[in-house]
Amino acid sequence: MATFLYKIGRMSFRRRHFVALIWVALLTLAGVGAASAPAAGNSSFSIPGTEAQKAFDLLEQRFPGTSADGATARVVFKAPSGEKMTDPGNKATVQDTVKELSDGSEVVRVTDPYQAKAVSKDGTVAYAQVSYKVSGMELEDSSRDALEDSAQHARKAGLTVEIGGDALQTVPHTGTTEIIGIAVAAVVLVITFGSLIAAGLPLLTALVGVGIGVSTITALAGALDLGSTTSTLAMMIGLAVGIDYALFIVSRYRAELAEGRDREEAAGRAVGTAGSAVVFAGLTVVIALVGLSVVNIPMLTKMGVAAAGTVAIAVLIALTMIPALLGYAGRRVKPAGEKGKLLGRSKKQEKPAKRNLGTRWASFVVRRPVAVLLLGVIGLGAAAVPAASLELGLPDDGAQPTSTTQRRAYDLLSEGFGPGFNGPLMVVVDAQDSDDPKAAFTQVGDEIKGLKDVVTVTPPAPNKAGDTATITVIPDSKPSSVATEDLVHSIRDKGAGIKADSDANVLVTGQTAMNIDVSEKLNDALIPYLVLVVGLAFLLLIVVFRSILVPLKAALGFLLSVMAALGAVVAVFQWGWLADLMGVEQTGPVMSMMPIFMVGVVFGLAMDYEVFLVTRMREAYVHGEKAGQAVVTGFRHGARVVTAAAVIMMAVFAGFIGSSESMVKMIGFGLAIAVFFDAFIVRMAIVPAVLALLGRKAWWLPRWLDRALPNVDVEGEGLRTDTDRGDQDRELVRA
């Protein structure tokens, strides 16, 4: 591996014009494809195997043209103080608005509040429901504009009007904090390298990689049914790992220059050694992201595969484009230990080099491993305590900021009709095999009325064939509550008895039921996913480190950091700690996708630091150093760079905390805090403490397994031999 990558590094350095031309051509091609491709809509959202999805599919068959999974909007009206919605003037305004809403080309139907009895008991609140042919993010701008214009006309007539539902759903924006994250990354790189040129290379290559990845996703969005949100994860992960991978290559290149090697040789060795770590670190991230497919949620699978593709591009750029750009930079990239003009004179320091902070810290840990280990484990354990109170759910309009019309509509409906009105359940009764469909429909309605937490049950609405009917159930509790979840399960339990009595199938669907099914599906998939991803990465790390205990320690450390990160997410987004600082306006259940998403992404990123830091230790150990000294050597060479990489990754992820979308905000915070815990507590404290306690046993591998495993030579031992032989040959030629 090291020898092969060494040759790639030297070739890229020599043929820099050719390599740069290829990457510029790929970026241009992807950009042209993205510019000419039609705008991406929302990826078709389906959850195979869930009852809610089966009900949606059945509705499409038995109620053709109703667009059961299309976007909906609830236009909520509130009368001025002292008036009622039944007053003639207010009633006329609402009916004019309903007529205006019905004119849209994408509108399927609009319900009149007065005919549908959608007026509150006190007469102050009413609502009209608008159903569309397509999903919220596929709606044309003209349909959204017409919806908002109709509401504005009613406001001018004196009514308070707000709009809820997913019809106003748009692509989330991340805000200016994302730019701040990139700026922080640039500052960290300048401090790390002491040179604008050296600092600019990782940023440039990361932006090129993300540009190619995101543009390709945009170009293929229509053909592969990729939603407009798919690129968010790809950009988040691609930018972070792209900077980090390039950072490690450039740092190793400067270290090789400091040892007296010429620039082409240094580029080859940097790619051969640090590049090997980049390849395996990238593989762990790819495994974690592609492994999201085991959840069997198509949207999540596409997001994972798209992000994995962007990571693969980042690896290839680090191995080829970075050495090419180093060739262009020439002497402007200084050896390690020399300061550029930005931070000092461009000459080597004549004083003996002091022990850096990484060396001093590692020496302390090696002397006090038990104390450091206990402190790290106890600290992460304390941070993980809130995770015991984790409540999962999917966000609804109640999680929106109070400044949005969706949230205000949600509050108005709760005020006028009760909190459960925001999450109606649709019960689909399939009586095709029943001898008496009408009796089956009536039986289902009567059974549901007797359940706890039910406010309203509408009469059955059969289709033209009379073999299928829908019943709307209004819960007493809000959509994201445990009581509503229990009600869904109770209806399904009743359905099993009805099936035995009348041969009619009872299915519960609607947005609330779909959210509950998705949460359960994600929870059920968490353990298999964890076993798959950690298991594959464990085998990969055995090959890299040729050790059993080091990969085991890496996996256990990851579990500590991800549990602590989940605890922090619960504390902020569920309990409300530091909510104002994070811009969290509404606390509630943690997004059900968060645990499995964090396991996938954080595991891949955690293994990055494990590979980068521990391969340096392994390299020192293989080259003859004692186990304890190898830990110190690894920190001397790698701690500064790993610290910079972690700060950069935290800055990039933290930039997404400024997003307008609560899901993206939560993901950004969760990943940023997870990187902090994993890089600075697990990898920088617990890992060296454990290795110091294990000593030589850390690198133990059974002989039979040693013979069976392929020798990937991440340490560059074969590279050292090949290079030495080449040096001898050149000396003979000169002689």
Side-chain angles (χ1 to χ4, degrees):
M1 171 69 79
T3 303
F4 173 71
L5 294 178
Y6 165 78
K7 293 176 181 177
I8 289 179
R10 293 196 64 166
M11 183 275 293
S12 299
F13 188 94
R14 288 196 307 270
R15 306 295 179 113
R16 60 185 75 102
H17 303 307
F18 178 70
V19 172
L21 182 62
I22 288 178
W23 285 112
V24 170
L26 288 174
L27 180 61
T28 303
L29 183 64
V32 171
S36 59
N42 192 31
S43 178
S44 55
F45 188 80
S46 63
I47 313 295
T50 61
E51 181 172 314
Q53 186 63 49
K54 292 176 183 176
F56 273 132
D57 296 339
L58 183 65
L59 287 171
E60 289 292 334
Q61 296 174 10
R62 307 286 174 84
F63 293 83
T66 57
S67 300
D69 57 349
T72 59
R74 280 184 168 181
V75 183
V76 187
F77 306 89
K78 184 176 183 180
S81 179
E83 299 182 18
K84 294 183 180 296
M85 291 304 305
T86 51
D87 293 346
N90 294 334
K91 186 175 182 179
T93 300
V94 171
Q95 289 177 330
D96 289 342
T97 304
V98 169
K99 184 178 179 181
E100 187 177 348
L101 289 169
S102 302
D103 294 336
S105 60
E106 293 183 309
V107 175
V108 176
R109 61 186 174 277
V110 182
T111 60
D112 186 312
Y114 304 100
Q115 295 179 5
K117 298 181 180 179
V119 181
S120 63
K121 290 182 179 180
D122 62 4
T124 60
V125 179
Y127 75 91
Q129 180 150 316
V130 187
S131 300
Y132 293 90
K133 299 175 182 177
V134 295
S135 64
M137 294 188 71
E138 292 175 317
L139 274 179
E140 295 181 1
D141 290 340
S142 58
S143 295
R144 292 195 184 94
D145 292 341
L147 180 62
E148 292 175 334
D149 289 345
S150 299
Q152 188 60 34
H153 294 161
R155 290 188 188 105
K156 290 180 179 179
L159 298 178
T160 298
V161 186
E162 304 296 346
I163 304 171
D166 58 353
L168 294 183
Q169 183 180 8
T170 56
V171 179
H173 60 83
T174 54
T176 57
T177 50
E178 182 186 349
I179 306 299
I180 296 174
I182 296 176
V184 171
V187 172
V188 172
L189 288 169
V190 170
I191 294 173
T192 302
F193 292 134
S195 164
L196 286 175
I197 299 295
L201 294 182
L203 280 176
L204 175 62
T205 54
L207 291 173
V208 169
V210 168
I212 293 174
V214 172
S215 297
T216 302
I217 291 170
T218 304
L220 299 177
L224 300 180
D225 191 26
L226 303 177
S228 52
T229 56
T230 304
S231 59
T232 301
L233 176 62
M235 179 172 62
M236 184 187 297
I237 304 299
L239 192 60
V241 301
I243 294 175
D244 278 6
Y245 294 165
L247 168 64
F248 280 97
I249 299 287
V250 174
S251 177
R252 187 59 183 255
Y253 171 76
R254 296 177 72 238
E256 296 293 338
L257 288 179
E259 294 183 9
R261 294 183 175 86
D262 64 65
R263 296 187 177 274
E264 182 178 331
E265 177 69 14
R269 278 181 167 268
V271 175
T273 51
S276 297
V278 165
V279 168
F280 284 102
L283 276 175
T284 60
V285 180
V286 168
I287 287 172
L289 291 170
V290 174
L292 290 171
S293 59
V294 303
V295 183
N296 196 26
I297 295 179
M299 182 188 71
L300 193 59
T301 299
K302 291 171 185 176
M303 290 177 66
V305 172
T310 307
V311 171
I313 292 171
V315 171
L316 292 174
I317 283 182
L319 299 178
T320 57
M321 191 175 182
I322 281 292
L325 293 180
L326 289 172
Y328 283 119
R331 296 184 179 277
R332 287 185 289 273
V333 176
K334 305 297 180 184
E338 288 192 27
K339 294 182 179 180
K341 294 180 180 180
L342 183 66
L343 297 181
R345 295 180 180 178
S346 180
K347 65 179 182 179
K348 279 193 175 182
Q349 298 175 356
E350 297 179 359
K351 295 181 180 180
K354 295 181 180 179
R355 297 197 333 165
N356 61 23
L357 181 60
T359 303
R360 296 197 298 272
W361 169 250
S363 299
F364 170 78
V365 174
V366 170
R367 290 195 307 270
R368 301 284 188 273
V370 175
V372 172
L373 178 61
L374 289 176
L375 189 61
V377 171
I378 292 172
L380 289 178
V385 168
S389 303
L390 178 66
E391 295 178 8
L392 297 177
L394 287 177
D396 53 27
D397 285 347
Q400 296 276 0
T402 53
S403 59
T404 62
T405 186
Q406 293 96 324
R407 173 60 187 280
R408 291 196 293 265
Y410 181 97
D411 292 340
L412 282 177
L413 284 173
S414 296
E415 175 188 332
F417 301 93
F421 216 80
N422 285 289
L425 305 175
M426 180 182 289
V427 178
V428 181
V429 185
D430 178 10
Q432 192 173 52
D433 298 330
S434 177
D435 295 333
D436 189 353
K438 290 185 178 180
F441 300 156
T442 303
Q443 181 185 358
V444 172
D446 292 341
E447 293 276 4
I448 294 175
K449 288 177 183 177
L451 294 176
K452 183 182 178 182
D453 203 51
V454 172
V455 174
T456 305
V457 179
T458 64
N463 62 349
K464 290 183 179 180
D467 59 4
T468 308
T470 60
I471 299 172
T472 301
V473 179
I474 306 298
D476 187 41
S477 305
K478 63 181 182 179
S480 59
S481 67
V482 175
T484 300
E485 183 178 347
D486 292 340
L487 175 60
V488 170
H489 291 305
S490 297
I491 296 173
R492 288 172 175 171
D493 291 341
K494 288 289 185 182
I498 294 170
K499 170 69 175 175
D501 294 340
S502 62
D503 289 327
N505 288 318
V506 178
L507 304 173
V508 184
T509 188
Q511 190 61 51
T512 300
M514 179 68 82
N515 288 352
I516 292 170
D517 286 352
V518 171
S519 298
E520 292 180 352
K521 192 176 183 70
L522 289 167
N523 290 341
D524 293 342
L526 181 58
I527 299 301
Y529 174 69
L530 191 62
V531 171
L532 174 68
V533 171
V534 175
L536 288 176
F538 181 77
L539 295 176
L540 184 66
L541 293 179
I542 289 177
V543 174
V544 174
F545 296 127
R546 307 194 76 79
S547 164
I548 297 292
L549 296 179
V550 170
L552 180 61
K553 173 260 317 164
L556 293 176
F558 152 73
L559 291 176
L560 273 174
S561 59
V562 79
M563 289 303 298
L566 276 175
V569 169
V570 169
V572 173
F573 291 89
Q574 187 175 310
W575 292 0
W577 293 5
L578 302 178
D580 292 339
L581 181 63
M582 297 295 166
V584 180
E585 294 192 27
Q586 180 67 33
T587 59
V590 172
M591 182 183 62
S592 55
M593 198 180 295
M594 196 68 187
I596 200 165
F597 186 81
M598 283 188 66
V599 166
V601 177
V602 174
F603 182 79
L605 300 179
M607 293 307 102
D608 278 2
Y609 302 120
E610 181 75 14
V611 170
F612 288 133
L613 195 58
V614 180
T615 47
R616 270 292 199 173
M617 300 177 191
R618 170 75 181 170
E619 185 177 339
Y621 180 77
V622 168
H623 292 158
E625 292 188 10
K626 294 182 179 180
Q629 183 57 39
V631 172
V632 177
T633 300
F635 267 75
R636 182 173 71 248
H637 292 295
R640 179 183 177 90
V641 182
V642 168
T643 299
V647 171
I648 289 169
M649 201 170 280
M650 288 168 57
V652 172
F653 288 148
F656 289 84
I657 296 175
S659 172
S660 61
E661 180 65 37
S662 61
M663 180 179 74
V664 177
K665 182 190 295 288
M666 189 180 295
I667 289 173
F669 171 79
L671 293 182
I673 198 71
V675 168
F676 172 77
F677 287 146
D678 196 87
F680 293 106
I681 299 180
V682 174
R683 309 303 154 189
M684 291 288 190
I686 294 178
V687 166
V690 171
L691 291 178
L693 288 171
L694 291 175
R696 293 173 57 89
K697 295 177 182 177
W699 310 107
W700 171 79
L701 187 69
R703 290 184 180 179
W704 64 269
L705 186 56
D706 189 29
R707 291 191 298 268
L709 291 176
N711 184 10
V712 295
D713 189 24
V714 177
E715 304 83 18
E717 187 65 24
L719 176 62
R720 171 178 289 196
T721 303
D722 291 344
T723 305
D724 291 343
R725 187 180 300 114
D727 290 340
Q728 292 175 0
D729 292 342
R730 283 191 289 273
E731 289 296 327
L732 289 173
V733 170
R734 290 194 190 99

